[in-house]
Amino acid sequence: MLPSELSSVSSVCSDAAGIAGNLFAIGLFVSPIPTFKRIVRNKSTEQFSGLPYIYALLNCLICLWYGMPIVSPNIILVATVNSIGAFFQLIYLSIYIAFAGKAIKLKMLGLLIAVFAIFGTTVYVSMRFFDSHERQTFVGYLSVASLITMFGSPLFIINLVIKTRSIEFMPFCLSLSTFLMSLSFFAYGVLKYDPFIYVPNGIGTILGLVQLALYSYYSGAFGEDSREPLVNAHA
């Protein structure tokens, strides 16, 4: 096969992997909807924490910036998935703030302002002080650091499942979506020769696989059905 043909095949495969990753990511983005239906229905945030959505918004914004052509050419599918993610997190945060108590409302508004300040500073610094190659490296390291902090949630759930020997708080569909999305973007990063994509998503793939293995083991051993995801723990 000629080099041009190999390049064409690689391009098609990478696009397919990126599109698949976008589709699987939607499964993750819509997973909190039942939680927010409950918040709206009860007109209260109850014991639910808004911090996961703050972290998720910051992660989406930084990764969105990394995927923009002015930072990283030819990985626009990273920008699309994170723009969708940022949109969902903003909706969730808006609902959360609307129904939160006064003290929590002020705290969440302060954190939301901090998120946009950090994002704005990242954009300014990367554009003002770095050339194109250095800019990609700088934002790439920030995106990897941001993604790694997001691994705290699946690690917490894995630890909880092992301790309680229960899969109640680890829904199968959510674990499967995590695994498939991470696997898709791992393949996308490999085909794009971009370690800032394939390294964190490789870790995400392993964590997703561990979750699926635990689900298979504990559902088989104890015959339990999963319920809602663990989203109401205060941070």
Side-chain angles (χ1 to χ4, degrees):
M1 189 175 289
L2 297 175
S4 59
E5 293 176 326
L6 283 173
S7 177
S8 178
V9 171
S10 176
S11 177
V12 170
C13 290
S14 65
D15 288 344
I19 292 170
N22 275 250
L23 295 175
F24 292 132
I26 293 175
L28 295 179
F29 297 148
V30 302
S31 63
I33 287 178
T35 297
F36 285 91
K37 282 185 176 180
R38 174 173 168 176
I39 289 174
V40 172
R41 182 174 63 249
N42 296 337
K43 301 186 186 310
S44 170
T45 58
E46 302 176 27
Q47 297 300 309
F48 293 104
S49 173
L51 292 182
Y53 309 101
I54 288 288
Y55 297 143
L57 176 60
L58 180 59
N59 174 69
C60 286
L61 289 174
I62 292 176
C63 293
L64 166 62
W65 181 236
Y66 179 72
M68 295 298 288
I70 197 171
V71 176
S72 306
N74 304 319
I75 57 166
I76 193 64
L77 290 172
V78 170
T80 58
V81 69
N82 284 287
S83 62
I84 296 170
F87 174 75
F88 273 96
Q89 305 315 316
L90 280 172
I91 291 177
Y92 295 146
L93 285 167
S94 297
I95 295 172
Y96 188 91
I97 291 171
F99 291 100
K102 185 176 180 180
I104 297 178
K105 190 190 299 284
L106 291 174
K107 175 184 176 182
M108 294 300 295
L109 283 171
L111 289 172
L112 191 58
I113 292 171
V115 164
F116 285 112
I118 292 171
F119 176 62
T121 301
T122 300
V123 172
Y124 174 78
V125 170
S126 62
M127 293 298 295
R128 178 70 175 81
F129 298 104
F130 298 101
D131 62 25
S132 58
H133 176 71
E134 292 174 337
R135 184 183 306 129
Q136 183 177 10
T137 302
F138 170 71
V139 182
Y141 277 118
L142 289 179
S143 68
V144 169
S146 177
L147 283 166
I148 288 176
T149 61
M150 295 298 294
F151 294 150
S153 178
L155 283 172
F156 172 76
I157 293 175
I158 288 170
N159 183 57
L160 184 67
V161 170
I162 294 173
K163 279 187 175 181
T164 62
R165 304 176 71 83
S166 169
I167 56 170
E168 177 182 355
F169 299 113
M170 191 174 69
F172 174 76
C173 290
L174 193 59
S175 298
L176 182 62
S177 294
T178 300
F179 170 70
L180 292 175
M181 183 197 71
S182 296
L183 180 62
S184 296
F185 276 107
F186 170 74
Y188 184 73
V190 169
L191 292 167
K192 292 290 188 180
Y193 305 103
D194 192 328
F196 295 123
I197 299 176
Y198 67 69
V199 169
N201 283 288
I203 298 173
T205 300
I206 294 171
L207 291 176
L209 192 59
V210 170
Q211 285 185 325
L212 291 174
L214 288 173
Y215 186 94
S216 176
Y217 175 76
Y218 286 110
S219 63
F222 300 98
E224 295 187 38
D225 293 323
S226 64
R227 302 178 196 172
E228 292 186 4
L230 186 66
V231 292
N232 61 338
H234 272 298

